[in-house]
Amino acid sequence: MHISAGRPYPLGAAYDGNGTNFALFSGCAEKVELCLIDDNGEELRLTLPEVDGDIWHGYVPEAGPGTRYGYRVHGPWDPEQGARCNPAKLLLDPYATAFDGQIDGHPSLCGHHPDDVNRPDERDSLGHVPLGVVTDPSFDWEEDRPPGHPYHGTVLYETHVKGMTRLHPEVPDELRGTYAGMAHPAVIDHLTALGVTAVELMPVHQFTQDGFLTDQGLSNYWGYNTIGFFAPHNAYAADRSRGGQVREFKTMVKALHAAGIEVILDVVYNHTAEGNEMGPTLSFRGIDNASYYRLVDETPAHYFDTTGTGNSLLMRHPNVLQLIMDSLRYWVTEMHVDGFRFDLAATLARQFHEVDRLSSFFDLVQQDPVVSRVKLIAEPWDIGDGGYQVGNFPTLWSEWNGRYRDTVRGFWRGDQGTVGEFAERLLGSSDLYQHDRRRPRAGINFAVAHDGFTLRDLVSYEERRNEANGEEGRDGESDNRSFNCGAEGPTEDRTVNRLRARQQRNILTTLLLSQGVPMLAHGDELGRTQQGNNNVYCQDNDVSWVDWDLDGERAGLLDFTRRLVALRHAQPVLRRRRFLRGPDEQGGRVEQAEAVWLRPDGRLMAEADWERDDAHALALFLCGDQIQGEEAGDAAGNGPVDSLLILVNGWSEGVEFQLPPVSFGAAWTVVLDTADPDLADADEVEFKAGTTVGLTDRSVRVLRRTHGKR
């Protein structure tokens, strides 16, 4: 093989139909060798002949799709100054679009000598690291189009490629746990029947295993350990040919799009799998350590860590910003994904030590003609000082609303003094987002996510059961705001189990009735349990995988959830584009306001009512009279939009509600009741204005106005 000068752009391995251009950034390198690895594991080293602006590059005509490669970077080794070049380590291309193989934990992966951190380790790591693979970008997308669901019509479904499909009885064995499994008709049918409009996939970027886990027979199941920001994780591919994971991922996206389901990726741009100074040298550390990572100013041998994972990417370095933006654009333009959820997004805003909402990263996203047009969701916190930033992200972004999660859990647990904030969360959290003209879409509402108890466990355990994780039960969140309903863990007590079933329905109902964007966690509609483990990041087994065995109770919960999501889609008053106006804001008659809060006795909630510690019940009137046009959705042109009355009782005893006077509506029909999930003969029961309706302890009832539209 021979190598010519090639081009400095694009970075990575770019196949053009005749050969491949290789380009790598390193500001500290003195020489860069491209290493081509044949089928027998033999290595051919070719020195990249040109460097422009710290981009080393070369063109190899003989290198085509399927070619495996890596790099060796020659340069300074001086950990005290942040330099860690070591040509004995075969390095992964940060821009590789596919990888072959996995790391195996061999001691040669360490960059420094085992007896002296200031000396380089001279053992060759070839054979112990995955290899980059040159891929062919061509793919027949046919008529693929992004579904383009508006935020107010979106229902998110957080899921895991392997966990969602590993136990599905209708997915063939060889496809379970893979992208092809996610694209299987049985899985897509479940999603469409449930009514979700977007899947939020937990990390699918190429990630590595942690040595401390594999030593215990565990593994990194969640995948928040990225090493390749352009490559689909190869272990999730049924197609094990070189580059097959790229084709399989694209096929999955095309199938989901055909069903009207968007694909959003949970991405981890805040750190990499190399960890701190004691971690392996796999890629970035050996290419240009001081450019890619935030180092401690006074002692550059150590890493500045705001993620709890050992390192943080240096977001103020232009080549790091370029890497992230190039990655995001690649997944949108080449892989057709519809958006991103950014793990520990506060770290992305840290240009120095503070969280700066106008950091370079957010400026770049704002002006990018590709990335700015897809769904952008932040996990708005990290573990650094000032890292909790719920409500403080730029207007373009939506955020996981951690305040929503905590409030809803506390209310249904029966905490004192929660009714006021519960009402705020139900109407979209205007206190968090309205101050800078953001809309309800800014809040991603959730009560349960991958990190923590499942919904079923939230109402079954008050203490975490994490001993299987090998950390003596100390890991995971200790404050879960959970309520076991009278017994810890599994029980045969029918009263406890009935309450647990109702509490699951209550939380799901609250979520789907709230303004903003709801997010379900996979399996919660099936009553999934993790046996009390609230941190299954290392449990790649049936503890974390979705159980598809539907007994009577689980089938009932699935049916209830489907009807609940359908209710949200059918009722425009539950998914408004802007924050609702109450009587004081809108003027006119009270019953003409978009949202009216009522006490159980039918009177308007007063300031003193919100401040009562013993208040656990209230009613919400949502008026549909003035909803028109696109916001009305399918209801436009089909007659008036329904008005709803939502009765909520979070207390441990039943409550009598007096329906509002006839000016709000002459008659009401029950459309949903968490205490009567089957709603037997509900359509035949009509309640007149001003009459009294009894509500079971800890339950929600939704009524639709059947007469009296003004």
Side-chain angles (χ1 to χ4, degrees):
M1 291 189 181
H2 83 281
I3 187 167
S4 58
R7 306 178 307 278
Y9 190 84
L11 289 163
Y15 174 66
D16 63 8
N18 297 309
T20 300
N21 190 80
F22 296 89
L24 178 77
F25 159 75
S26 177
C28 66
E30 297 165 357
K31 181 175 77 169
V32 175
E33 292 177 308
L34 170 66
C35 306
L36 304 177
I37 316 300
D38 67 16
D39 292 346
N40 297 318
E42 297 296 324
E43 175 186 16
L44 172 65
R45 300 186 187 185
L46 301 172
T47 299
L48 293 180
E50 293 289 341
V51 56
D52 291 302
D54 295 331
I55 307 298
W56 301 76
H57 54 91
Y59 183 84
V60 182
E62 297 88 351
T67 299
R68 301 187 301 173
Y69 72 100
Y71 291 106
R72 296 184 188 273
V73 174
H74 299 255
W77 172 271
D78 187 357
E80 294 299 323
Q81 298 303 315
R84 294 179 178 271
C85 294
N86 184 346
K89 310 306 167 186
L90 187 67
L91 304 174
L92 311 180
D93 179 4
Y95 277 74
T97 54
F99 289 100
D100 180 41
Q102 309 288 338
I103 67 168
D104 63 5
H106 192 268
S108 65
L109 297 175
C110 187
H112 61 264
H113 193 280
D115 299 324
D116 185 355
V117 296
N118 292 314
R119 289 169 52 197
D121 184 295
E122 297 181 356
R123 290 171 294 185
D124 197 324
S125 64
L126 175 61
H128 306 291
V129 292
L131 301 171
V133 177
V134 177
T135 60
D136 185 346
S138 62
F139 180 77
D140 185 5
W141 283 103
E142 299 179 297
E143 299 299 319
D144 181 69
R145 294 288 185 275
H149 297 295
Y151 276 97
H152 75 282
T154 295
V155 176
L156 287 168
Y157 188 82
E158 187 194 31
T159 188
H160 187 284
V161 167
K162 185 172 185 179
M164 180 71 172
T165 63
R166 184 63 182 82
L167 298 177
H168 200 297
E170 297 180 47
V171 175
D173 289 347
E174 66 274 14
L175 302 184
R176 293 181 183 179
T178 70
Y179 306 119
M182 277 295 299
H184 191 274
V187 175
I188 291 179
D189 287 349
H190 175 78
L191 296 171
T192 54
L194 190 58
V196 300
T197 66
V199 289
E200 183 177 297
L201 300 180
M202 291 179 66
V204 296
H205 287 174
Q206 187 72 39
F207 63 86
T208 68
Q209 294 299 326
D210 309 84
F212 78 94
L213 290 176
T214 56
D215 289 345
Q216 301 178 73
L218 301 171
S219 63
N220 189 319
Y221 167 66
W222 281 350
Y224 292 96
N225 208 28
T226 303
I227 198 63
F229 294 109
F230 292 77
H233 188 56
N234 55 16
Y236 293 161
D239 182 350
R240 295 306 175 93
S241 64
R242 293 177 189 170
Q245 63 266 48
V246 177
R247 294 186 296 272
E248 189 172 323
F249 185 92
K250 291 178 177 179
T251 302
M252 175 194 71
V253 171
K254 186 167 72 170
L256 288 165
H257 281 181
I261 299 172
E262 296 177 312
V263 178
I264 294 173
L265 302 187
D266 190 342
V267 290
V268 189
Y269 292 111
N270 50 71
H271 73 280
T272 78
E274 292 184 299
N276 63 18
E277 60 272 12
M278 303 306 292
T281 296
L282 306 173
S283 179
F284 309 92
R285 193 195 314 279
I287 294 171
D288 192 338
N289 184 59
S291 293
Y292 277 113
Y293 293 120
R294 288 192 64 182
L295 307 178
V296 177
D297 292 337
E298 299 79 11
T299 55
H302 302 289
Y303 292 78
F304 192 90
D305 180 16
T306 58
T307 64
T309 59
N311 66 56
S312 300
L313 284 172
L314 184 61
M315 297 303 299
R316 64 176 178 264
H317 194 284
N319 290 91
V320 175
L321 289 171
Q322 180 185 3
L323 169 78
I324 296 174
M325 295 306 299
D326 285 349
S327 170
L328 292 169
R329 280 191 294 270
Y330 173 81
W331 286 97
V332 175
T333 60
E334 296 296 324
M335 308 296 268
H336 285 206
V337 305
D338 305 281
F340 305 94
R341 179 266 189 188
F342 293 81
D343 178 64
L344 300 179
T347 293
L348 301 177
R350 292 180 184 272
Q351 287 187 289
F352 296 97
H353 297 292
E354 71 285 350
V355 175
D356 176 7
R357 65 176 299 183
L358 297 178
S359 70
S360 297
F361 173 71
F362 296 113
D363 291 342
L364 287 172
V365 170
Q366 180 75 33
Q367 59 79 43
D368 191 275
V370 173
V371 181
S372 64
R373 298 182 183 183
V374 300
K375 288 183 169 68
L376 301 171
I377 302 169
E379 182 185 31
W381 50 75
D382 64 15
I383 67 169
D385 292 340
Y388 191 79
Q389 293 291 314
V390 174
N392 290 330
F393 274 70
T395 55
L396 188 67
W397 291 66
S398 298
E399 307 171 16
W400 272 27
N401 190 345
R403 293 274 296 276
Y404 182 96
R405 172 199 59 204
D406 296 343
T407 300
V408 169
R409 289 184 176 193
F411 177 84
W412 286 113
R413 184 172 65 173
D415 291 357
Q416 300 288 321
T418 56
V419 69
E421 189 167 1
F422 177 79
E424 192 78 70
R425 304 295 155 244
L426 202 66
L427 287 187
S429 299
S430 63
D431 59 327
L432 300 178
Y433 305 120
Q434 194 172 26
H435 59 87
D436 55 1
R437 298 186 179 181
R438 298 171 79 184
R439 298 284 183 99
R441 53 147 284 188
I444 304 298
N445 297 328
F446 70 104
V448 170
H450 69 272
D451 190 1
F453 282 138
T454 67
L455 179 60
R456 180 175 172 181
D457 289 354
L458 185 69
V459 301
S460 303
Y461 295 88
E462 294 186 3
E463 301 293 334
R464 61 189 188 269
R465 300 286 188 270
N466 295 2
E467 290 75 15
N469 296 350
E471 300 180 46
E472 299 181 352
R474 295 189 301 268
D475 63 301
E477 179 59 60
S478 59
D479 180 15
N480 296 282
R481 304 195 185 196
S482 57
F483 170 48
N484 65 18
C485 298
E488 187 71 1
T491 179
E492 298 298 321
D493 189 314
R494 296 180 63 184
T495 300
V496 170
N497 286 329
R498 281 196 297 268
L499 178 56
R500 287 177 177 176
R502 191 160 70 250
Q503 285 285 73
Q504 291 175 76
R505 294 191 292 268
N506 288 335
I507 293 172
L508 287 169
T509 300
T510 302
L511 178 66
L512 272 301
L513 297 183
S514 297
Q515 305 294 324
V517 181
M519 184 183 78
L520 296 162
H522 76 188
D524 278 349
E525 75 278 16
L526 305 170
R528 187 173 77 90
T529 178
Q530 294 173 170
Q531 301 168 27
N533 191 324
N534 74 346
N535 190 31
V536 296
Y537 78 103
C538 59
Q539 298 295 323
D540 189 1
N541 49 52
D542 56 7
V543 171
S544 57
W545 301 335
V546 174
D547 179 4
W548 294 90
D549 183 15
L550 293 180
D551 58 23
E553 180 180 324
R554 287 158 58 86
L557 181 59
L558 174 59
D559 179 68
F560 179 84
T561 308
R562 286 172 173 170
R563 288 188 282 113
L564 183 58
V565 177
L567 176 66
R568 180 180 180 86
H569 286 312
Q571 297 294 342
V573 294
L574 297 176
R575 42 184 176 82
R576 300 297 299 274
R577 288 180 179 270
R578 56 177 175 76
F579 291 109
L580 304 186
R581 293 171 294 178
D584 295 337
E585 302 165 289
Q586 190 165 335
R589 302 180 63 172
V590 169
E591 58 271 19
Q592 294 176 321
E594 294 172 325
V596 181
W597 290 104
L598 303 167
R599 303 190 322 188
D601 63 6
R603 299 180 181 179
L604 293 178
M605 288 284 288
E607 190 65 34
D609 297 317
W610 294 115
E611 296 174 355
R612 290 179 53 182
D613 285 343
D614 61 346
H616 297 276
L618 73 171
L620 171 61
F621 171 72
L622 294 174
C623 184
D625 292 354
Q626 299 174 32
I627 298 179
Q628 299 177 358
E630 185 180 355
E631 190 171 15
D634 294 338
N638 295 326
V641 173
D642 287 336
S643 294
L644 299 180
L645 184 64
I646 302 170
L647 311 180
V648 180
N649 177 20
W651 190 230
S652 56
E653 299 178 2
V655 172
E656 296 290 320
F657 279 84
Q658 182 173 332
L659 299 185
V662 68
S663 58
F664 284 84
W668 301 85
T669 300
V670 178
V671 294
L672 182 140
D673 189 342
T674 63
D676 182 12
D678 297 327
L679 280 178
D681 301 323
D683 290 339
E684 300 177 11
V685 179
E686 189 172 77
F687 295 95
K688 301 297 184 181
T691 58
T692 299
V693 176
L695 218 63
T696 302
D697 62 289
R698 291 194 169 98
S699 66
V700 182
R701 183 176 292 174
V702 181
L703 301 97
R704 177 175 57 85
R705 187 171 64 185
T706 51
H707 299 290
K709 180 182 182 297
R710 295 186 59 79

